[in-house]
mmCIF file with all atom_site columns, all heavy atoms in Angstrom:
data_model
loop_
_atom_site.group_PDB
_atom_site.id
_atom_site.type_symbol
_atom_site.label_atom_id
_atom_site.label_alt_id
_atom_site.label_comp_id
_atom_site.label_asym_id
_atom_site.label_entity_id
_atom_site.label_seq_id
_atom_site.pdbx_PDB_ins_code
_atom_site.Cartn_x
_atom_site.Cartn_y
_atom_site.Cartn_z
_atom_site.occupancy
_atom_site.B_iso_or_equiv
_atom_site.pdbx_formal_charge
_atom_site.auth_seq_id
_atom_site.auth_comp_id
_atom_site.auth_asym_id
_atom_site.auth_atom_id
_atom_site.pdbx_PDB_model_num
ATOM 1  N N   . THR A 1 431 ? 68.766 -51.833 -33.965 1.00 86.00 ? 483 THR A N   1
ATOM 2  C CA  . THR A 1 431 ? 68.620 -52.968 -34.924 1.00 86.00 ? 483 THR A CA  1
ATOM 3  C C   . THR A 1 431 ? 69.739 -53.017 -35.929 1.00 86.00 ? 483 THR A C   1
ATOM 4  O O   . THR A 1 431 ? 70.258 -54.102 -36.221 1.00 86.00 ? 483 THR A O   1
ATOM 5  C CB  . THR A 1 431 ? 67.276 -52.822 -35.656 1.00 86.00 ? 483 THR A CB  1
ATOM 6  O OG1 . THR A 1 431 ? 66.219 -52.720 -34.661 1.00 86.00 ? 483 THR A OG1 1
ATOM 7  C CG2 . THR A 1 431 ? 66.989 -53.974 -36.537 1.00 86.00 ? 483 THR A CG2 1
ATOM 8  N N   . GLU A 1 432 ? 70.138 -51.867 -36.470 1.00 89.00 ? 484 GLU A N   1
ATOM 9  C CA  . GLU A 1 432 ? 71.142 -51.812 -37.550 1.00 89.00 ? 484 GLU A CA  1
ATOM 10 C C   . GLU A 1 432 ? 72.506 -52.372 -36.983 1.00 89.00 ? 484 GLU A C   1
ATOM 11 O O   . GLU A 1 432 ? 73.137 -53.164 -37.682 1.00 89.00 ? 484 GLU A O   1
ATOM 12 C CB  . GLU A 1 432 ? 71.427 -50.359 -37.977 1.00 89.00 ? 484 GLU A CB  1
ATOM 13 C CG  . GLU A 1 432 ? 70.379 -49.880 -38.985 1.00 89.00 ? 484 GLU A CG  1
ATOM 14 C CD  . GLU A 1 432 ? 70.297 -50.856 -40.171 1.00 89.00 ? 484 GLU A CD  1
ATOM 15 O OE1 . GLU A 1 432 ? 71.299 -51.101 -40.875 1.00 89.00 ? 484 GLU A OE1 1
ATOM 16 O OE2 . GLU A 1 432 ? 69.171 -51.381 -40.433 1.00 89.00 ? 484 GLU A OE2 1
ATOM 17 N N   . ILE A 1 433 ? 72.780 -52.075 -35.703 1.00 91.00 ? 485 ILE A N   1
ATOM 18 C CA  . ILE A 1 433 ? 74.059 -52.579 -35.172 1.00 91.00 ? 485 ILE A CA  1
ATOM 19 C C   . ILE A 1 433 ? 73.978 -54.123 -35.035 1.00 91.00 ? 485 ILE A C   1
ATOM 20 O O   . ILE A 1 433 ? 74.866 -54.906 -35.386 1.00 91.00 ? 485 ILE A O   1
ATOM 21 C CB  . ILE A 1 433 ? 74.343 -51.942 -33.787 1.00 91.00 ? 485 ILE A CB  1
ATOM 22 C CG1 . ILE A 1 433 ? 74.716 -50.469 -34.029 1.00 91.00 ? 485 ILE A CG1 1
ATOM 23 C CG2 . ILE A 1 433 ? 75.487 -52.647 -33.033 1.00 91.00 ? 485 ILE A CG2 1
ATOM 24 C CD1 . ILE A 1 433 ? 74.974 -49.641 -32.801 1.00 91.00 ? 485 ILE A CD1 1
ATOM 25 N N   . GLY A 1 434 ? 72.743 -54.573 -34.586 1.00 91.00 ? 486 GLY A N   1
ATOM 26 C CA  . GLY A 1 434 ? 72.582 -56.032 -34.477 1.00 91.00 ? 486 GLY A CA  1
ATOM 27 C C   . GLY A 1 434 ? 72.728 -56.762 -35.751 1.00 91.00 ? 486 GLY A C   1
ATOM 28 O O   . GLY A 1 434 ? 73.456 -57.706 -35.884 1.00 91.00 ? 486 GLY A O   1
ATOM 29 N N   . MET A 1 435 ? 72.127 -56.163 -36.855 1.00 91.00 ? 487 MET A N   1
ATOM 30 C CA  . MET A 1 435 ? 72.142 -56.807 -38.152 1.00 91.00 ? 487 MET A CA  1
ATOM 31 C C   . MET A 1 435 ? 73.564 -56.894 -38.772 1.00 91.00 ? 487 MET A C   1
ATOM 32 O O   . MET A 1 435 ? 73.862 -57.725 -39.563 1.00 91.00 ? 487 MET A O   1
ATOM 33 C CB  . MET A 1 435 ? 71.319 -56.026 -39.132 1.00 91.00 ? 487 MET A CB  1
ATOM 34 C CG  . MET A 1 435 ? 69.835 -56.042 -38.827 1.00 91.00 ? 487 MET A CG  1
ATOM 35 S SD  . MET A 1 435 ? 69.159 -57.650 -39.045 1.00 91.00 ? 487 MET A SD  1
ATOM 36 C CE  . MET A 1 435 ? 67.420 -57.334 -39.004 1.00 91.00 ? 487 MET A CE  1
ATOM 37 N N   . LYS A 1 436 ? 74.468 -55.918 -38.292 1.00 91.00 ? 488 LYS A N   1
ATOM 38 C CA  . LYS A 1 436 ? 75.746 -55.892 -38.912 1.00 91.00 ? 488 LYS A CA  1
ATOM 39 C C   . LYS A 1 436 ? 76.870 -56.401 -37.944 1.00 91.00 ? 488 LYS A C   1
ATOM 40 O O   . LYS A 1 436 ? 78.050 -56.131 -38.124 1.00 91.00 ? 488 LYS A O   1
ATOM 41 C CB  . LYS A 1 436 ? 76.110 -54.393 -39.228 1.00 91.00 ? 488 LYS A CB  1
ATOM 42 C CG  . LYS A 1 436 ? 75.160 -53.706 -40.196 1.00 91.00 ? 488 LYS A CG  1
ATOM 43 C CD  . LYS A 1 436 ? 75.373 -54.191 -41.560 1.00 91.00 ? 488 LYS A CD  1
ATOM 44 C CE  . LYS A 1 436 ? 74.371 -53.554 -42.579 1.00 91.00 ? 488 LYS A CE  1
ATOM 45 N NZ  . LYS A 1 436 ? 74.180 -54.452 -43.693 1.00 91.00 ? 488 LYS A NZ  1
ATOM 46 N N   . THR A 1 437 ? 76.401 -57.163 -36.913 1.00 91.00 ? 489 THR A N   1
ATOM 47 C CA  . THR A 1 437 ? 77.350 -57.646 -35.881 1.00 91.00 ? 489 THR A CA  1
ATOM 48 C C   . THR A 1 437 ? 78.366 -58.659 -36.529 1.00 91.00 ? 489 THR A C   1
ATOM 49 O O   . THR A 1 437 ? 77.931 -59.685 -37.062 1.00 91.00 ? 489 THR A O   1
ATOM 50 C CB  . THR A 1 437 ? 76.686 -58.260 -34.741 1.00 91.00 ? 489 THR A CB  1
ATOM 51 O OG1 . THR A 1 437 ? 75.876 -57.289 -34.136 1.00 91.00 ? 489 THR A OG1 1
ATOM 52 C CG2 . THR A 1 437 ? 77.636 -58.739 -33.636 1.00 91.00 ? 489 THR A CG2 1
ATOM 53 N N   . ARG A 1 438 ? 79.661 -58.320 -36.415 1.00 88.00 ? 490 ARG A N   1
ATOM 54 C CA  . ARG A 1 438 ? 80.674 -59.226 -36.967 1.00 88.00 ? 490 ARG A CA  1
ATOM 55 C C   . ARG A 1 438 ? 81.327 -60.065 -35.866 1.00 88.00 ? 490 ARG A C   1
ATOM 56 O O   . ARG A 1 438 ? 81.700 -61.179 -35.954 1.00 88.00 ? 490 ARG A O   1
ATOM 57 C CB  . ARG A 1 438 ? 81.734 -58.396 -37.693 1.00 88.00 ? 490 ARG A CB  1
ATOM 58 C CG  . ARG A 1 438 ? 82.915 -59.214 -38.351 1.00 88.00 ? 490 ARG A CG  1
ATOM 59 C CD  . ARG A 1 438 ? 83.724 -58.314 -39.151 1.00 88.00 ? 490 ARG A CD  1
ATOM 60 N NE  . ARG A 1 438 ? 84.275 -57.165 -38.413 1.00 88.00 ? 490 ARG A NE  1
ATOM 61 C CZ  . ARG A 1 438 ? 85.534 -57.175 -37.933 1.00 88.00 ? 490 ARG A CZ  1
ATOM 62 N NH1 . ARG A 1 438 ? 86.326 -58.199 -38.119 1.00 88.00 ? 490 ARG A NH1 1
ATOM 63 N NH2 . ARG A 1 438 ? 85.999 -56.121 -37.247 1.00 88.00 ? 490 ARG A NH2 1
ATOM 64 N N   . GLY A 1 439 ? 81.406 -59.400 -34.686 1.00 89.00 ? 491 GLY A N   1
ATOM 65 C CA  . GLY A 1 439 ? 81.964 -60.107 -33.513 1.00 89.00 ? 491 GLY A CA  1
ATOM 66 C C   . GLY A 1 439 ? 81.784 -59.233 -32.317 1.00 89.00 ? 491 GLY A C   1
ATOM 67 O O   . GLY A 1 439 ? 81.158 -58.128 -32.337 1.00 89.00 ? 491 GLY A O   1
ATOM 68 N N   . ALA A 1 440 ? 82.305 -59.678 -31.159 1.00 91.00 ? 492 ALA A N   1
ATOM 69 C CA  . ALA A 1 440 ? 82.161 -58.819 -29.913 1.00 91.00 ? 492 ALA A CA  1
ATOM 70 C C   . ALA A 1 440 ? 83.354 -59.040 -29.025 1.00 91.00 ? 492 ALA A C   1
ATOM 71 O O   . ALA A 1 440 ? 83.958 -60.057 -28.989 1.00 91.00 ? 492 ALA A O   1
ATOM 72 C CB  . ALA A 1 440 ? 80.880 -59.327 -29.251 1.00 91.00 ? 492 ALA A CB  1
ATOM 73 N N   . LYS A 1 441 ? 83.640 -57.973 -28.332 1.00 91.00 ? 493 LYS A N   1
ATOM 74 C CA  . LYS A 1 441 ? 84.771 -58.054 -27.250 1.00 91.00 ? 493 LYS A CA  1
ATOM 75 C C   . LYS A 1 441 ? 84.029 -57.857 -25.898 1.00 91.00 ? 493 LYS A C   1
ATOM 76 O O   . LYS A 1 441 ? 83.263 -56.933 -25.713 1.00 91.00 ? 493 LYS A O   1
ATOM 77 C CB  . LYS A 1 441 ? 85.745 -56.920 -27.499 1.00 91.00 ? 493 LYS A CB  1
ATOM 78 C CG  . LYS A 1 441 ? 86.686 -57.195 -28.622 1.00 91.00 ? 493 LYS A CG  1
ATOM 79 C CD  . LYS A 1 441 ? 87.675 -56.023 -28.706 1.00 91.00 ? 493 LYS A CD  1
ATOM 80 C CE  . LYS A 1 441 ? 88.730 -56.345 -29.739 1.00 91.00 ? 493 LYS A CE  1
ATOM 81 N NZ  . LYS A 1 441 ? 89.772 -55.273 -29.792 1.00 91.00 ? 493 LYS A NZ  1
#
Side-chain angles (χ1 to χ4, degrees):
T483 306
E484 277 308 301
I485 291 178
M487 294 292 193
K488 302 284 179 209
T489 301
R490 180 170 60 97
K493 283 183 175 181

